[in-house]
Amino acid sequence: MFRLRMTSSLFSLFLLSMSFIMAAAQPAGCKIRITDKGLDMLKFETQRFVEEELSNISMPEMIGKEGRFQYTITDVKITELNLTHADLQFVPEVGLLFDVQNSSISLSFHRRILYWFFYDTGNINASAEGVNINTVLSLIRDDEGRLKINNITCDAKINKMRARFSGTLGKVYDFISKFLTSGMRFLLNQQICPALNHSALVHVNAMLDTIPVRTEVDQFIGIDYSLIDDPVVTSRSLDMHFRGMFFDLSDPHQHAGELRGEPGDPRVRPDGLPRSVRVLLRQWNVRVLQGGGLPDGHHHEK
Ligand SMILES: *[C@@H]1O[C@H](CO)[C@@H](O)[C@H](O)[C@H]1NC(C)=O
Ligand SMILES: *[C@@H]1O[C@H](CO)[C@@H](O)[C@H](O)[C@H]1NC(C)=O
Ligand SMILES: *[C@@H]1O[C@H](CO)[C@@H](O)[C@H](O)[C@H]1NC(C)=O
Ligand SMILES: *[C@@H]1O[C@H](CO)[C@@H](O)[C@H](O)[C@H]1NC(C)=O
Ligand SMILES: *[C@@H]1O[C@H](CO)[C@@H](O)[C@H](O)[C@H]1NC(C)=O
Ligand SMILES: *[C@@H]1O[C@H](CO)[C@@H](O)[C@H](O)[C@H]1NC(C)=O
C-alpha cells in the first residue's frame, strides 16, 4: 500500500515539477527541478516508508550465560516506531540525506531465564530512545535512463534502552536488565542500517523501475523521457535532464527529432509546448504551469 503511494507520489512529484524547455539547440528536451518544496512533499512519504521498512526488522535469537544466569531471547518484534525530527535534504553532488533524531522504538520480546533454580518465562516490553539515523542516498542514472539509488551510507545510534520487567524475579531483573538491554541495543544498531540499505537498493529501486521512460502520446507518437545524465544536485535543488523526444510509434528506433519545436509544426503551440505534451499531461491530470490552458481538442495531422 505504502509502496504504491510512494510510487505515485514520486511520479506526481516528477510531473508537477516538470518544466519543458523547447529550445532546439538544447540536448535535454525537458528538465525537472526538485526544490525545497518538492522535498517537503517527499519527506512525509519517505518517513512513512522508512517506518514501514524498519517495523519489519527481525532479530536473531539471543542466547547467553552470565555466571549463574542463563537467558534466551526470542520473537523480538517492533511494536511502535516514532520517527521524530525527520529531515530530508539535498547533498551537493551526491543525492539526498534522510536524517531522524531523538526518535523512539518500542519492542517486545520473549524471555526464558534460568537463575539458580528459578525458571522464568514471559514477554517483556522494551523501548529504545534517542534513536538517530543518518542516511545518505547516492543518486545516479541507470543504463535505461532511470533514476536509481546507487548506494547508501548509513549511521544509526541508540542512546538509551529501557525494559520494564514485571516478573517474579523483579530484583534479579534490575540486575540483569542492564546487560540484556545493552545486548538489544547492540543488535538494533546492527539491524537498522542493513534494513535501510536493503529497502533503498532493492525496494525503492524496484519502485523506480516501474516509472516508464517511454510512453504513448496518442496512437501515432510516443515520447521518450529517459534521463540523459546523472541528476545534478546542489544545496538547493535536484535537476534531472530528460531526453524529452518524440518518436514515431510505427518506427520506435528512429527518434523523430524533427517533431520537436519546428516552426509551423501544427503540434507546436505559440507558447512552445507541443499539443501532444499538453494532452499527455491532461491525461495524467497535471496542470500545465507554463503558458495558457490546455487545448480543447486534440488534432493529429499525419
Ligand atoms: C514484512 O515482512 C513480511 C515477512 O517477512 C513480508 O511478508 C512483508 O511483505 C514485509 N513487509 C514490508 C513492508 O516489507
Ligand atoms: C508515538 O507517537 C504516538 C502518537 O503519534 C504516541 O501516542 C506514542 O505515545 C508515541 N510513542 C512513543 C514511544 O513515544
Ligand atoms: C528527546 O525526546 C525526549 C522525549 O522523548 C525529550 O524529553 C527530549 O527533550 C528530546 N531531546 C531533544 C534534544 O530534542
Ligand atoms: C506489553 O505491552 C502491551 C501493549 O503494548 C501490553 O498489552 C502487554 O501487557 C505488555 N506486556 C508486559 C509484559 O508488560
Ligand atoms: C556511491 O555512488 C557514487 C555515485 O553516485 C559513487 O561515486 C561512489 O563511489 C559510490 N560509493 C561506494 C562506496 O560505492
Ligand atoms: C546493501 O545492499 C546491497 C544490495 O542488496 C548489497 O549488495 C550490499 O552489500 C549492502 N551493503 C551493506 C553495507 O549492507
Side-chain angles (χ1 to χ4, degrees), residues 93-94 138-140 150-153 230:
E93 284 164 40
V94 178
S138 180
L139 301 174
I140 53 155
N150 194 36
N151 56 50
I152 82 167
T153 59
D230 286 343

Side-chain angles (χ1 to χ4, degrees), residues 2 5-18 32-49 86-90 96 98 286 289:
F2 281 123
R5 278 192 30 209
M6 183 85 180
T7 309
S8 68
S9 72
L10 274 174
F11 202 21
S12 59
L13 175 71
F14 287 174
L15 290 171
L16 280 171
S17 24
M18 216 182 243
I32 286 177
R33 166 164 289 179
I34 295 176
T35 58
D36 295 352
K37 232 185 234 167
L39 268 197
D40 273 353
M41 275 170 63
L42 203 53
K43 184 172 98 177
F44 178 71
E45 296 299 336
T46 306
Q47 182 177 342
R48 296 288 290 272
F49 179 78
D87 202 9
L88 193 61
Q89 288 172 18
F90 298 113
L96 296 173
F98 180 69
V286 170
L289 299 174

Side-chain angles (χ1 to χ4, degrees), residues 235-254:
S235 61
R236 314 201 44 187
S237 65
L238 188 154
D239 285 354
M240 290 178 280
H241 301 109
F242 292 83
R243 196 175 305 277
M245 263 198 191
F246 297 98
F247 59 91
D248 196 330
L249 285 178
S250 63
D251 185 10
H253 297 297
Q254 183 233 331

Side-chain angles (χ1 to χ4, degrees), residues 134-149:
N134 185 289
T135 308
V136 176
L137 309 173
S138 180
L139 301 174
I140 53 155
R141 163 201 188 277
D142 76 1
D143 293 342
E144 284 170 44
R146 286 194 173 87
L147 181 69
K148 282 287 157 68
I149 299 172

Side-chain angles (χ1 to χ4, degrees), residues 7 71 118 179 182 186 242 269:
T7 309
Y71 64 91
F118 292 103
F179 100 92
S182 66
F186 177 74
F242 292 83
R269 308 242 317 168

Side-chain angles (χ1 to χ4, degrees), residues 80-84 103-106 127-129 164:
E80 197 178 354
L81 197 67
N82 283 10
L83 298 184
T84 51
S103 302
S104 67
I105 300 175
S106 304
S127 64
E129 273 147 44
R164 284 171 292 277

Side-chain angles (χ1 to χ4, degrees), residues 150-167:
N150 194 36
N151 56 50
I152 82 167
T153 59
C154 172
D155 183 36
K157 286 200 181 69
I158 293 171
N159 290 333
K160 249 187 299 190
M161 262 314 283
R162 262 197 249 274
R164 284 171 292 277
F165 297 91
S166 59

